[in-house]
CSV table of all heavy atoms in Angstrom, one decimal:
chain,number,residue,atom,x,y,z
V,12,ARG,N,97.2,-22.8,108.3
V,12,ARG,CA,98.4,-23.5,108.7
V,12,ARG,C,99.3,-22.5,109.3
V,12,ARG,O,99.6,-21.4,108.8
V,12,ARG,CB,99.1,-24.1,107.4
V,12,ARG,CG,100.1,-25.1,107.8
V,12,ARG,CD,100.5,-25.9,106.6
V,12,ARG,NE,101.1,-25.1,105.6
V,12,ARG,CZ,101.9,-25.6,104.7
V,12,ARG,NH1,102.2,-26.8,104.6
V,12,ARG,NH2,102.4,-24.8,103.8
V,13,VAL,N,99.8,-22.8,110.5
V,13,VAL,CA,100.7,-21.9,111.3
V,13,VAL,C,101.9,-22.7,111.7
V,13,VAL,O,101.9,-23.9,111.8
V,13,VAL,CB,99.9,-21.3,112.5
V,13,VAL,CG1,98.8,-20.4,112.1
V,13,VAL,CG2,99.5,-22.4,113.5
V,14,ASN,N,103.0,-21.9,112.1
V,14,ASN,CA,104.2,-22.5,112.7
V,14,ASN,C,104.0,-22.7,114.2
V,14,ASN,O,102.9,-22.5,114.7
V,14,ASN,CB,105.4,-21.7,112.3
V,14,ASN,CG,105.4,-20.4,113.0
V,14,ASN,OD1,104.6,-20.0,113.8
V,14,ASN,ND2,106.4,-19.6,112.6
V,15,ALA,N,105.0,-23.1,114.9
V,15,ALA,CA,105.0,-23.4,116.3
V,15,ALA,C,104.7,-22.1,117.1
V,15,ALA,O,104.2,-22.2,118.2
V,15,ALA,CB,106.3,-24.0,116.8
V,16,PHE,N,104.9,-21.0,116.6
V,16,PHE,CA,104.7,-19.7,117.3
V,16,PHE,C,103.3,-19.2,117.0
V,16,PHE,O,102.9,-18.1,117.5
V,16,PHE,CB,105.7,-18.7,116.9
V,16,PHE,CG,107.1,-19.1,117.3
V,16,PHE,CD1,108.0,-19.4,116.3
V,16,PHE,CD2,107.5,-19.1,118.6
V,16,PHE,CE1,109.3,-19.8,116.6
V,16,PHE,CE2,108.8,-19.5,118.9
V,16,PHE,CZ,109.7,-19.9,118.0
V,17,GLY,N,102.5,-19.8,116.1
V,17,GLY,CA,101.2,-19.4,115.8
V,17,GLY,C,101.1,-18.4,114.7
V,17,GLY,O,100.0,-17.8,114.4
V,18,ILE,N,102.2,-18.2,114.0
V,18,ILE,CA,102.2,-17.2,112.9
V,18,ILE,C,101.8,-18.0,111.6
V,18,ILE,O,102.4,-19.0,111.3
V,18,ILE,CB,103.6,-16.6,112.7
V,18,ILE,CG1,104.0,-15.9,114.0
V,18,ILE,CG2,103.7,-15.7,111.5
V,18,ILE,CD1,105.4,-15.4,114.1
V,19,PRO,N,100.9,-17.4,110.8
V,19,PRO,CA,100.5,-18.1,109.6
V,19,PRO,C,101.6,-18.3,108.7
V,19,PRO,O,102.5,-17.4,108.5
V,19,PRO,CB,99.4,-17.2,109.0
V,19,PRO,CG,98.9,-16.4,110.2
V,19,PRO,CD,100.1,-16.3,111.1
V,20,ILE,N,101.7,-19.4,108.1
V,20,ILE,CA,102.8,-19.8,107.2
V,20,ILE,C,102.8,-18.9,105.9
V,20,ILE,O,103.8,-18.6,105.4
V,20,ILE,CB,102.8,-21.3,106.9
V,20,ILE,CG1,103.1,-22.0,108.2
V,20,ILE,CG2,103.8,-21.7,105.8
V,20,ILE,CD1,103.7,-23.3,108.2
V,21,SER,N,101.6,-18.6,105.5
V,21,SER,CA,101.6,-17.8,104.2
V,21,SER,C,102.3,-16.4,104.4
V,21,SER,O,102.8,-15.9,103.4
V,21,SER,CB,100.1,-17.6,103.8
V,21,SER,OG,99.4,-16.9,104.8
V,22,ILE,N,102.3,-15.9,105.6
V,22,ILE,CA,103.0,-14.6,105.8
V,22,ILE,C,104.5,-14.8,105.8
V,22,ILE,O,105.2,-14.0,105.3
V,22,ILE,CB,102.6,-14.0,107.2
V,22,ILE,CG1,101.1,-13.6,107.2
V,22,ILE,CG2,103.5,-12.9,107.6
V,22,ILE,CD1,100.6,-13.1,108.5
V,23,LEU,N,104.9,-15.9,106.4
V,23,LEU,CA,106.4,-16.2,106.4
V,23,LEU,C,106.9,-16.5,105.0
V,23,LEU,O,108.0,-16.2,104.7
V,23,LEU,CB,106.6,-17.4,107.3
V,23,LEU,CG,106.3,-17.2,108.8
V,23,LEU,CD1,106.5,-18.4,109.6
V,23,LEU,CD2,107.1,-16.0,109.4
V,24,ASP,N,106.1,-17.3,104.2
V,24,ASP,CA,106.6,-17.7,102.9
V,24,ASP,C,105.7,-17.2,101.9
V,24,ASP,O,104.9,-17.9,101.2
V,24,ASP,CB,106.6,-19.3,102.9
V,24,ASP,CG,107.3,-19.8,101.7
V,24,ASP,OD1,108.0,-19.1,101.0
V,24,ASP,OD2,107.1,-21.0,101.4
V,25,SER,N,105.7,-15.9,101.6
V,25,SER,CA,104.7,-15.3,100.7
V,25,SER,C,105.1,-15.5,99.3
V,25,SER,O,104.3,-15.4,98.4
V,25,SER,CB,104.7,-13.7,100.9
V,25,SER,OG,106.0,-13.2,100.7
V,26,GLY,N,106.3,-16.0,99.0
V,26,GLY,CA,106.7,-16.3,97.6
V,26,GLY,C,106.0,-17.6,97.1
V,26,GLY,O,105.9,-17.7,95.8
V,27,SER,N,105.6,-18.5,97.9
V,27,SER,CA,105.0,-19.8,97.4
V,27,SER,C,103.5,-19.6,97.4
V,27,SER,O,102.9,-19.0,98.3
V,27,SER,CB,105.4,-20.9,98.3
V,27,SER,OG,104.8,-20.8,99.6
V,28,LYS,N,102.9,-20.2,96.4
V,28,LYS,CA,101.5,-20.1,96.3
V,28,LYS,C,100.9,-21.5,96.4
V,28,LYS,O,101.5,-22.5,95.8
V,28,LYS,CB,101.0,-19.5,94.9
V,28,LYS,CG,101.3,-18.1,94.8
V,28,LYS,CD,100.7,-17.5,93.6
V,28,LYS,CE,100.9,-16.0,93.5
V,28,LYS,NZ,100.3,-15.4,92.4
V,29,LYS,N,99.9,-21.7,97.1
V,29,LYS,CA,99.2,-23.0,97.3
V,29,LYS,C,98.5,-23.3,96.0
V,29,LYS,O,97.7,-22.5,95.5
V,29,LYS,CB,98.3,-22.9,98.5
V,29,LYS,CG,97.7,-24.3,98.9
V,29,LYS,CD,96.9,-24.1,100.1
V,29,LYS,CE,96.3,-25.4,100.5
V,29,LYS,NZ,95.5,-25.3,101.7
V,30,SER,N,98.6,-24.5,95.5
V,30,SER,CA,97.9,-24.9,94.3
V,30,SER,C,96.6,-25.5,94.7
V,30,SER,O,96.5,-26.4,95.6
V,30,SER,CB,98.7,-25.8,93.5
V,30,SER,OG,98.9,-27.0,94.2
V,31,TYR,N,95.5,-25.1,94.2
V,31,TYR,CA,94.2,-25.7,94.4
V,31,TYR,C,93.9,-26.5,93.2
V,31,TYR,O,93.6,-26.1,92.2
V,31,TYR,CB,93.1,-24.6,94.6
V,31,TYR,CG,93.3,-23.7,95.8
V,31,TYR,CD1,94.0,-22.5,95.8
V,31,TYR,CD2,92.8,-24.2,97.0
V,31,TYR,CE1,94.2,-21.8,96.9
V,31,TYR,CE2,93.0,-23.4,98.2
V,31,TYR,CZ,93.7,-22.2,98.1
V,31,TYR,OH,93.8,-21.5,99.2
V,32,ILE,N,93.9,-27.8,93.5
V,32,ILE,CA,93.7,-28.8,92.4
V,32,ILE,C,92.2,-29.2,92.4
V,32,ILE,O,91.7,-29.6,93.4
V,32,ILE,CB,94.6,-30.0,92.6
V,32,ILE,CG1,96.1,-29.6,92.5
V,32,ILE,CG2,94.3,-31.1,91.5
V,32,ILE,CD1,97.0,-30.7,92.9
V,33,LYS,N,91.6,-29.0,91.2
V,33,LYS,CA,90.2,-29.4,91.1
V,33,LYS,C,90.1,-30.9,91.0
V,33,LYS,O,90.8,-31.5,90.2
V,33,LYS,CB,89.6,-28.7,89.9
V,33,LYS,CG,88.1,-28.8,89.7
V,33,LYS,CD,87.5,-27.9,88.7
V,33,LYS,CE,88.2,-28.0,87.4
V,33,LYS,NZ,87.4,-27.3,86.3
V,34,LYS,N,89.2,-31.4,91.8
V,34,LYS,CA,89.0,-32.9,91.7
V,34,LYS,C,88.3,-33.2,90.4
V,34,LYS,O,87.5,-32.5,89.9
V,34,LYS,CB,88.1,-33.3,92.9
V,34,LYS,CG,88.8,-33.1,94.2
V,34,LYS,CD,88.3,-34.0,95.3
V,34,LYS,CE,89.1,-33.7,96.5
V,34,LYS,NZ,88.9,-34.8,97.5
V,35,ASP,N,88.6,-34.5,89.9
V,35,ASP,CA,88.0,-34.9,88.7
V,35,ASP,C,86.5,-35.0,88.8
V,35,ASP,O,85.9,-35.4,89.7
V,35,ASP,CB,88.5,-36.3,88.4
V,35,ASP,CG,90.0,-36.3,88.1
V,35,ASP,OD1,90.5,-35.3,87.7
V,35,ASP,OD2,90.6,-37.4,88.2
V,36,GLY,N,85.8,-34.4,87.7
V,36,GLY,CA,84.4,-34.5,87.6
V,36,GLY,C,83.6,-33.5,88.4
V,36,GLY,O,82.4,-33.4,88.4
Side-chain angles (χ1 to χ4, degrees):
R12 196 165 63 155
V13 296
N14 66 4
F16 299 109
I18 300 171
I20 297 207
S21 61
I22 291 174
L23 297 175
D24 189 19
S25 60
S27 68
K28 290 189 176 183
K29 186 177 180 181
S30 65
Y31 292 96
I32 300 172
K33 187 167 51 168
K34 295 201 177 196
D35 293 338

